[in-house]
Amino acid sequence: MSTENTFRIDGREISFKDGDTVMDAALRAGEYIPHLCHNPEYKPHGSCRICVVVVNGKHQCSCTLPAARGMDVDNSSEAIVEKRRTLLQMLFVEGNHVCPACEKSGACQLQAVAYQSGMLNPHFTHFFPKRSIDSSHPDLVFYFNRCILCGLCVRVSRDVDKKSVFSLSGRGHKTRIIFNSPTGKAGDTELAITDRAVSVCPTGAILPKHLGYETPVGKRLYDCKPISVVGDAARHHSVKKPFINGGSDE
Ligand code: FES
């Protein structure tokens, strides 16, 4: 056995540094573990559970699990992919994720992870929620039926943009994202289209106005390559070049 800091993913030896999670070490080594609430640029949160792996026989969240010597991680057996597919199917029926009608199609992490896991149908009964659309902001529109409550916009607005524009409110299945403004409307916040918080949404819940089809469907980031190869959509956009369509690193 190696004396270095290493563990195994699907039999491959992976090095890690002190403080790394399994996800950190895996992504650095080019080993893709599906994730939605995690963005490698920010602190992990551990809420969506899509990054589930089996470690020494136990199901664990790889984005929050500290890496340790000698771990044996199953990231790609049919059994673990099946678990992720089930979690994805639950996310799909809990919201209204109508991919062919969504402007984010082809650049959406939720859609791309579903493809990557081989999800072919929703399996469960759709909830068909009727959550509001907020179009009060001059540059952005919010489709709450597409929100998976990953909390990335909340965390990034608070920790990176230092604005705390969003909050999570309510409990259980009534949890939702709200705006911290006197009217509860996005247009009455100090949110700007250049804020990092608006570019980290892994679904089509936060979209810029006027840019919906700048890159044609079929030529977008995940239309061209699978998410396991290109990684998170937010990585491919600067704040000056909005994030809707994906497609290139410029
Ligand atoms: Fe790990 Fe969401 S990516 S729990």
Side-chain angles (χ1 to χ4, degrees):
M1 191 160 141
S2 170
T3 53
E4 287 175 44
N5 275 347
T6 63
F7 64 93
R8 281 183 308 285
I9 298 184
D10 300 330
R12 180 185 161 199
E13 201 90 1
I14 305 283
S15 302
F16 68 93
K17 300 184 201 156
D18 288 345
D20 271 354
T21 61
V22 168
M23 177 74 79
D24 293 333
L27 293 181
R28 194 182 313 115
E31 205 62 50
Y32 176 72
I33 302 178
H35 52 275
L36 289 172
C37 76
H38 182 57
N39 180 311
E41 289 179 44
Y42 309 110
K43 279 192 210 144
H45 192 235
S47 57
C48 77
R49 321 310 273 187
I50 294 297
C51 67
V52 64
V53 291
V54 179
V55 181
N56 300 343
K58 203 169 155 200
H59 290 91
Q60 305 265 16
C61 239
S62 57
C63 72
T64 51
L65 181 69
R69 273 190 197 184
M71 281 176 160
D72 206 355
V73 179
D74 169 13
N75 178 40
S76 60
S77 68
E78 182 47 31
I80 196 65
V81 174
E82 175 64 36
K83 288 267 183 308
R84 288 194 196 118
R85 260 200 302 272
T86 302
L87 291 169
L88 286 160
Q89 285 166 325
M90 290 195 262
L91 286 177
F92 267 81
V93 300
E94 194 274 337
N96 290 344
H97 301 282
V98 189
C99 297
C102 178
E103 288 174 41
K104 193 82 176 273
S105 185
C108 169
Q109 279 180 237
L110 176 65
Q111 181 192 44
V113 171
Y115 277 130
Q116 195 267 346
S117 79
M119 184 186 134
L120 295 176
N121 61 50
H123 180 73
F124 301 107
T125 305
H126 280 280
F127 286 24
F128 293 123
K130 290 197 173 70
R131 301 186 198 117
S132 59
I133 295 172
D134 186 327
S135 57
S136 60
H137 193 282
D139 301 318
L140 297 159
V141 61
F142 300 83
Y143 292 87
F144 290 111
N145 284 322
R146 298 175 187 160
C147 174
I148 58 168
L149 299 172
C150 68
L152 267 167
C153 58
V154 178
R155 290 178 275 143
V156 174
S157 180
R158 181 191 61 215
D159 301 340
V160 181
D161 301 328
K162 308 287 182 202
K163 292 185 179 177
S164 288
V165 164
F166 306 93
S167 286
L168 280 165
S169 169
R171 294 168 73 92
H173 74 282
K174 294 198 172 151
T175 307
R176 66 195 201 285
I177 295 282
I178 57 167
F179 295 104
N180 294 320
S181 75
T183 58
K185 291 282 183 194
D188 295 318
T189 66
E190 49 179 334
L191 186 66
I193 192 169
T194 48
D195 284 1
R196 259 326 257 164
V198 300
S199 69
V200 291
C201 177
T203 74
I206 306 178
L207 295 175
K209 292 180 175 174
H210 320 301
L211 294 166
Y213 295 94
E214 204 178 43
T215 305
V217 171
K219 299 211 162 149
R220 298 177 175 189
L221 189 64
Y222 303 130
D223 293 331
C224 304
K225 289 191 181 145
I227 192 166
S228 53
V229 174
V230 290
D232 296 357
R235 256 192 340 110
H236 293 262
H237 300 278
S238 71
V239 287
K240 292 203 181 101
K241 184 164 166 61
F243 44 84
I244 169 73
N245 292 312
S248 76
D249 279 1
E250 290 115 62

